[in-house]
Amino acid sequence: MINRTHVHCTVNGDEVDFLATDSTSLLDALRTELGLTGVKEGCGTGDCGACSITVDGALNCACLMFAPEAEGREIGTVEGIAQGDHLHPLQETFLEGAALQCGICTPGFLVAAKVLLDENPTPTETEIRYALAGNLCRCTGYDKIIHAVQEAAVQLNGAKS
Amino acid sequence: MRYAAPTTVDEAVGLLAADADARVFAGATDLIPQIRSGRPEPSVLVDLKRIDRLVGVGESGGTWTVGAATPTSTLTADEAFTGAFPGLSEASGLIGSDQIQNRSSWGGNLCNASPAADSVPALVANAVRAVVAGSNGERTVPVEEIVTGPGQTSLADDEFVVEFQVDTPPAHTADAYLRLIPRTEMDIAVVGAAVRLTMDGGTCTAATVALGAVAPTVVRVPDAEAALVGSTLDDATLEAVAAAASAACNPIDDKRGTIEYRRQVAGVLAKRAATIAAERANA
């Protein structure tokens, strides 16, 4: 017997309802039921961070959650980072600094980096590297990603002062 | 698989008692990869995170209580907890990435029963107790009695760990945890060493030494503890601690380290962890 559970939660600020098989990962539900394909599947075992999302503001791997666990939670994905057509400074600095090649890890890096900068607006390089240790990129060698986060932090802090 | 999110301990016990293939989980950071790698699926996935008692950390009347499903990121962010148990906090903070830290818990790390679990040596060194619920009510057992071998626990099918209890440490007492992995982050311990010491004017008056990833279960090292008590942690004592730790190992040979390497590293880490614990206890 396949159980399907009705799930009600908030995704990127919008209230949503969907049906999910109990064994479905939240990653699959976000992609197939809600069309949020910015959430990527890399490893499916919590090692690579390509499916990074926020759950009640905390960084999580969507592949390590069963879809019904989202009930009542506030979910955030990369699709919620830009304000309409206005990209977030992290998205701008990733583009300007070419902090991506194939791009499959990029949404996860953006979500993780935004959590970092929201909590710590002036991270050191070491803090950035530790905060992003759960996100794997097999193309860039990381330096451009770290630089993009540093540059975004500068821009965000400049905008505030 | 059916998903269930009970809100009381009794409801969760009922789900387990009704179906031997039901399984509890907290963060699922081990459960989901195990299912994906082909282990049999549980019939019912019992999510413990909606039970209030399972999530939270606090101190009352000389006892700290930590819910079994409390995310380890909550523990490392708790300044009072980290101040009282710096080693336990640092061990908890080594379980995976930030993403994993928001899901991983002591209950899961213990009951997954990996010999390399980072929190377990520090739990043992601090004489942490597990409160276990089942059809016959609750029982409180020392953490070291939960894991019986790799992937094996002493829990009955209808039992799960509800919370952990640990006494507030006496004055001038501190712990430390060190582990060796081949890279800086995101790997499984080759060796882990937890030491807790009580110091009195530079002399050690109580000591616990526990090693992880060097045997099927966490190993206490009574010979190292005996060497530490009454000493000032002079060089001869630390060499005795290292020798005792190396001798207590019963490690495997694998890609992360040979038997000889693990024995050697266990001695080095036990010695260094003892030194750090003493510095903290004297501070």
Side-chain angles (χ1 to χ4, degrees):
Chain A
M1 186 180 69
I2 295 176
N3 283 281
R4 279 168 76 83
T5 297
H6 171 240
V7 180
H8 176 84
C9 62
T10 304
V11 177
N12 297 327
D14 296 328
E15 292 198 27
V16 300
D17 292 87
F18 62 90
L19 283 173
T21 307
D22 282 10
S23 57
T24 302
S25 69
L26 181 58
L27 166 62
D28 285 341
L30 289 170
R31 289 179 59 87
T32 60
E33 301 297 324
L34 300 175
L36 295 171
T37 53
V39 194
K40 302 300 184 193
E41 174 157 21
C43 62
T45 52
D47 293 289
C48 80
C51 65
S52 294
I53 58 168
T54 57
V55 179
D56 293 343
L59 190 63
N60 272 253
C61 286
C63 74
L64 291 182
M65 286 181 70
F66 297 106
E69 289 186 67
E71 176 66 32
R73 305 293 189 204
E74 289 183 12
I75 308 296
T77 72
V78 72
E79 285 88 348
I81 290 182
Q83 306 272 319
D85 291 338
H86 193 67
L87 293 180
H88 186 276
L90 276 164
Q91 294 170 308
E92 295 282 7
T93 57
F94 268 63
L95 279 171
E96 285 163 14
L100 65 150
Q101 287 182 29
C102 87
I104 196 166
C105 71
T106 310
F109 268 101
L110 289 168
V111 171
K114 183 168 183 301
V115 168
L116 168 67
L117 295 185
D118 286 348
E119 291 173 0
N120 178 4
T122 55
T124 63
E125 180 184 337
T126 300
E127 287 171 334
I128 296 170
R129 287 184 184 274
Y130 272 97
L132 300 180
N135 294 78
L136 302 184
C137 173
R138 301 290 79 170
C139 304
T140 68
Y142 298 103
D143 276 355
K144 289 185 172 184
I145 294 172
I146 306 301
H147 292 154
V149 176
Q150 289 174 315
E151 178 58 28
V154 170
Q155 289 185 18
L156 283 161
N157 291 324
K160 262 181 271 175
S161 60
Chain B
M1 291 187 290
R2 183 166 68 84
Y3 170 86
T7 55
T8 66
V9 170
D10 286 349
E11 203 184 330
V13 169
L15 287 162
L16 294 181
D19 189 335
D21 294 325
R23 196 164 158 197
V24 295
F25 76 96
T29 59
D30 290 307
L31 177 64
I32 288 179
Q34 285 164 3
I35 291 171
R36 288 184 70 116
S37 71
R39 295 244 197 123
E41 291 186 1
S43 54
V44 186
L45 301 160
V46 182
D47 183 353
L48 297 176
K49 296 188 295 296
R50 305 269 177 175
I51 307 173
D52 287 345
R53 243 180 105 190
L54 271 285
V55 182
V57 51
E59 190 266 343
S60 175
T63 303
W64 281 85
T65 303
V66 176
T70 309
T72 45
S73 59
T74 301
L75 302 177
T76 55
D78 189 307
E79 288 181 14
F81 171 81
T82 300
F85 303 99
L88 200 37
S89 184
E90 63 201 357
S92 303
L94 288 172
I95 304 169
S97 61
D98 285 4
Q99 284 90 333
I100 302 300
Q101 283 283 306
N102 288 324
R103 298 278 290 181
S104 57
S105 62
W106 285 0
N109 200 227
L110 177 68
C111 296
N112 183 56
S114 163
D118 279 307
S119 70
V120 183
L123 292 169
V124 169
N126 281 287
V128 175
R129 306 176 291 277
V131 178
V132 175
S135 299
N136 297 324
E138 295 190 4
R139 61 193 178 96
T140 302
V141 290
V143 156
E144 55 250 70
E145 291 179 16
I146 299 288
V147 180
T148 54
Q152 303 293 319
T153 72
S154 59
L155 300 177
D157 284 346
D158 65 348
E159 288 186 320
F160 66 95
V161 178
V162 172
E163 64 192 17
F164 294 91
Q165 296 175 346
V166 54
D167 296 337
T168 300
H172 304 297
T173 298
D175 63 341
Y177 177 76
L178 292 174
R179 75 162 182 196
L180 182 110
I181 58 173
R183 52 201 295 250
T184 310
E185 275 275 271
M186 302 290 289
D187 208 340
I188 297 168
V190 175
V191 177
V195 177
R196 173 168 139 151
L197 300 179
T198 302
M199 302 296 291
D200 181 5
T203 300
C204 175
T205 58
T208 320
V209 179
L211 303 174
V214 295
T217 61
V218 165
V219 177
R220 278 277 296 271
V221 192
D223 289 347
E225 296 166 2
L228 285 161
V229 172
S231 81
T232 56
L233 276 73
D234 55 292
D235 289 349
T237 299
L238 291 173
E239 287 314 311
V241 168
S246 293
C249 296
N250 176 23
I252 56 168
D253 247 329
D254 76 356
K255 64 184 176 185
R256 288 193 173 77
T258 61
I259 290 170
E260 273 313 296
Y261 182 66
R262 283 190 153 95
R263 281 188 187 283
Q264 171 74 19
V265 170
V268 173
L269 292 191
K271 188 166 67 172
R272 290 183 189 167
T275 305
I276 295 168
E279 283 167 4
R280 288 174 176 170
N282 281 324

